[in-house]
């Protein structure tokens, strides 16, 4: 597990256990499974004044900008060579060349070099839409904005009232239909309200897992899901990724909004920490975060294969649901959080300082997830 990469929020929470709680670096390193050298480096970085840290970040950002500029200039030099006199051809031919070269270069860079607008290219790719569908797409953007502004609390009635205040004349049932299609709903508590939740996901993968929760080796099947935590400041959304072999939480992300990159950031942490060399199955429900094009593109780029639960069947993702029940029963419902930051620190403490390294799990021979994997690799070395 050398050369792991950790997100900044992971590093900040780890440093807090040393600087604010007074724990020894060696103890925190053992619990988190990171090197003491890394922890000292994190403490050194985040103990600096903000101005000094910002100066270092600015220098690194400038270096990244120069590298990106060099890459852009190189691409603009090489793209016309592969275009073969396409600059003097019609727009549709340019679009065809862009589609062919999009596997090698960014679409926007191709459009800039061939002097066409990206919106025209994407319109050429898409099927023609009716006026009604275009209007639905426009309204959906306003609906998502209003729903996110409410912290994911408003239902279709209050969203409809917000749209009316903006001067929109759409009907309430139309708002309900668009929200249902996108999986947007009001948050009224921890229990899910009974009823049918329709709407066809953008991408629906087959249920490849089929409730086969017993896995013979690490990094073979991961499961992921999202839950929400109540604080006096508002909701805090938590996405986790677990390895079915040991039930270890290998990736997580917490954000105040149900944004599109919440699930991707959790999966990115899992990929950074595990660096799987073989194809890994990632199982989720059919939520909009897991059926988006960004999610599917990330899976394809990182050798991950998608599996999804059947509609409205939480038992297909029982391991992730079971972890959330443990988290809320053993930690969240025992406390009252005044702010999201308090909840974030407490959830980090539960996952990284207790659940992964210490909590005994019945499916892991009454060992902790970290100890269970450690003994598995030791047995391989002894063979």
């Amino acid at each position: 597990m050398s050369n792991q990469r950790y997100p900044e929020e992971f590093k900040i929470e780890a440093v807090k256990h040393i600087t604010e709680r007074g724990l020894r670096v060696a103890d925190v390193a053992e619990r988190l499974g990171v090197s003491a050298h890394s922890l000292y480096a994190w403490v050194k970085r985040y103990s600096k004044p903000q101005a000094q840290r910002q100066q270092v970040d600015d220098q690194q950002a400038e270096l990244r900008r120069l590298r990106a500029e060099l890459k852009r200039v190189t691409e603009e030099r090489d793209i016309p060579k592969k275009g073969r006199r396409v600059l003097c051809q019609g727009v549709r031919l340019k679009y065809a060349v862009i589609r062919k070269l999009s596997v090698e270069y960014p679409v926007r860079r191709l459009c800039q070099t061939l002097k066409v607008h990206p919106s025209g290219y994407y319109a050429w790719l898409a099927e023609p839409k009716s006026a009604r569908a275009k209007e639905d797409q426009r309204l959906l953007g306003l609906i998502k904005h209003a729903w996110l502004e409410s912290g994911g609390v408003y239902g279709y009635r209050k969203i409809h009232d917000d749209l009316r205040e903006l001067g929109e004349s759409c009907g309430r049932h139309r708002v309900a239909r668009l929200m249902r299609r996108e999986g947007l709903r009001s948050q009224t508590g921890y229990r899910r309200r009974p009823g049918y939740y329709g709407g066809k996901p953008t991408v629906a993968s087959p249920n490849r897992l089929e409730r086969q929760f017993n896995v013979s080796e690490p990094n073979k099947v991961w499961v992921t899901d999202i839950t929400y935590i109540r604080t006096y400041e508002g909701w805090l959304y938590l996405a986790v990724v677990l390895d079915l072999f040991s039930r270890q939480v290998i990736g997580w992300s917490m954000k105040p909004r149900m944004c599109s990159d919440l699930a991707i950031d959790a999966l990115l942490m899992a990929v950074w920490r595990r660096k799987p060399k073989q194809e890994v199955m990632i199982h989720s429900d059919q939520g909009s975060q897991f059926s988006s094009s960004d999610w599917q593109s990330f899976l394809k780029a990182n050798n991950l294969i998608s599996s999804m639960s059947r509609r409205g069947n939480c038992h297909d993702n029982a391991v992730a649901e079971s972890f959330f029940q443990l988290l809320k029963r053993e930690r969240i419902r025992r406390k009252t959080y005044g702010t999201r930051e308090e909840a974030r620190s407490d959830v980090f403490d539960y996952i990284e300082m207790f659940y992964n390294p210490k909590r005994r799990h019945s499916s892991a021979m009454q060992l902790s997830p970290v100890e269970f994997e450690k003994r598995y690799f030791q047995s391989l070395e002894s063979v």
Side-chain angles (χ1 to χ4, degrees):
M1 302 297 292
S2 60
N3 298 324
Q4 291 185 14
R5 296 177 61 190
Y6 294 91
E8 189 172 33
E9 61 179 338
F10 182 98
K11 299 176 183 178
I12 292 174
E13 296 300 334
V15 169
K16 286 182 180 178
H17 279 72
I18 300 171
T19 59
E20 297 181 5
R21 301 193 180 187
L23 298 180
R24 295 191 311 130
V25 172
D27 293 339
V28 176
E30 181 181 0
R31 287 286 187 92
L32 297 182
V34 302
S35 66
H37 177 77
S38 297
L39 278 176
Y40 280 119
W42 296 350
V43 171
K44 181 179 179 181
R45 168 177 167 76
Y46 293 104
S47 60
K48 291 180 179 179
Q50 180 65 27
Q52 185 177 355
R53 209 164 70 210
Q54 185 64 41
Q55 183 180 6
V56 175
D57 291 342
D58 290 343
Q59 292 175 352
Q60 294 177 349
E62 179 63 14
L63 180 59
R64 289 194 298 270
R65 187 192 67 81
L66 292 174
R67 289 175 176 171
E69 182 68 14
L70 177 60
K71 180 181 178 182
R72 181 188 65 81
V73 172
T74 303
E75 289 176 346
E76 289 182 351
R77 180 198 65 191
D78 294 339
I79 289 172
K81 295 179 181 179
K82 297 185 178 182
R84 297 291 183 183
R85 299 184 298 276
V86 75
L87 290 173
C88 58
Q89 301 298 324
V91 174
R92 290 186 175 272
L93 181 58
K94 293 181 180 180
Y95 290 159
V97 172
I98 291 173
R99 182 171 60 182
K100 181 179 179 181
L101 297 179
S102 60
V103 297
E104 301 180 47
Y105 302 101
V107 170
R108 291 190 174 274
R109 179 74 65 234
L110 290 165
C111 292
Q112 180 181 2
T113 305
L114 299 181
K115 296 181 171 34
V116 295
H117 200 277
S119 62
Y121 168 72
Y122 287 118
W124 175 78
L125 282 180
E127 295 180 0
K129 296 182 179 180
S130 64
R132 175 79 174 182
K134 292 179 180 179
E135 181 64 12
D136 281 350
Q137 193 68 25
R138 186 186 69 84
L139 284 174
L140 185 59
L142 298 175
I143 289 171
K144 286 182 177 180
H145 179 77
W147 187 79
L148 290 173
E149 284 295 319
S150 74
V153 172
Y154 280 0
Y156 72 92
R157 294 180 179 88
K158 289 185 173 62
I159 296 294
H160 177 258
D161 292 338
D162 285 352
L163 295 181
R164 292 295 296 269
E165 288 185 3
L166 292 175
E168 300 292 336
S169 58
C170 60
R172 180 180 292 180
H173 294 295
R174 188 178 187 182
V175 174
R177 173 176 60 82
L178 293 174
M179 291 183 66
R180 187 165 57 246
R181 191 180 73 186
E182 288 296 308
L184 306 179
R185 61 179 69 91
S186 62
Q187 303 289 357
T188 57
Y190 285 110
R191 289 185 177 271
R192 187 174 181 181
R193 301 170 79 178
Y196 172 75
Y197 295 89
K200 186 177 180 180
T202 304
V203 177
S205 301
N207 185 7
R208 296 184 172 92
L209 183 58
E210 296 182 340
R211 301 191 187 181
Q212 300 299 315
F213 300 132
N214 294 323
V215 180
S216 59
E217 60 183 90
N219 298 328
K220 188 174 182 180
V221 181
W222 297 346
V223 296
T224 182
D225 205 354
I226 297 174
T227 191
Y228 43 93
I229 302 166
R230 194 200 313 269
T231 74
Y232 281 116
E233 194 178 28
W235 295 108
L236 177 67
Y237 294 91
L238 166 68
V240 298
V241 179
L242 294 94
D243 191 320
L244 273 187
F245 173 72
S246 62
R247 306 302 200 261
Q248 181 176 348
V249 178
I250 58 176
W252 52 264
S253 180
M254 289 177 274
K255 298 185 185 298
R257 299 277 179 88
M258 182 77 82
C259 48
S260 59
D261 56 350
L262 174 67
I264 295 179
D265 286 352
L267 186 56
L268 180 60
M269 182 188 291
V271 172
W272 281 354
R273 296 175 80 168
R274 289 306 183 98
K275 297 181 177 62
K277 298 180 180 179
Q278 74 279 12
E279 188 179 70
V280 180
M281 181 191 302
I282 177 74
H283 184 81
S284 67
D285 59 27
Q286 293 190 24
S288 59
Q289 293 78 18
F290 306 115
S291 58
S292 66
S293 57
D294 289 341
W295 174 266
Q296 296 298 324
S297 298
F298 185 89
L299 297 187
K300 185 177 179 181
N302 290 276
N303 199 25
L304 305 173
I305 182 171
S306 176
S307 172
M308 287 186 176
S309 304
R310 292 166 294 177
R311 297 288 284 175
N313 197 324
C314 61
H315 300 291
D316 287 349
N317 201 12
V319 173
E321 296 287 348
S322 176
F323 169 76
F324 286 146
Q325 289 179 7
L326 283 177
L327 171 64
K328 291 179 179 180
R329 183 175 71 244
E330 297 180 352
R331 184 62 62 93
I332 292 175
R333 288 177 179 150
R334 294 170 178 258
K335 298 188 177 182
T336 301
Y337 301 117
T339 64
R340 294 188 180 98
E341 187 60 31
E342 291 179 15
R344 179 192 296 271
S345 296
D346 202 34
V347 171
F348 174 90
D349 183 84
Y350 179 85
I351 294 176
E352 299 292 350
M353 306 297 288
F354 173 65
Y355 177 86
N356 280 344
K358 292 295 181 182
R359 192 189 186 282
R360 298 182 184 275
H361 208 293
S362 59
S363 65
M365 300 173 57
Q366 296 300 331
L367 300 172
S368 70
V370 171
E371 182 65 20
F372 185 70
E373 289 196 6
K374 180 180 178 181
R375 295 194 182 186
Y376 169 81
F377 288 114
Q378 287 176 349
S379 66
L380 292 181
E381 293 174 357
S382 63
V383 174

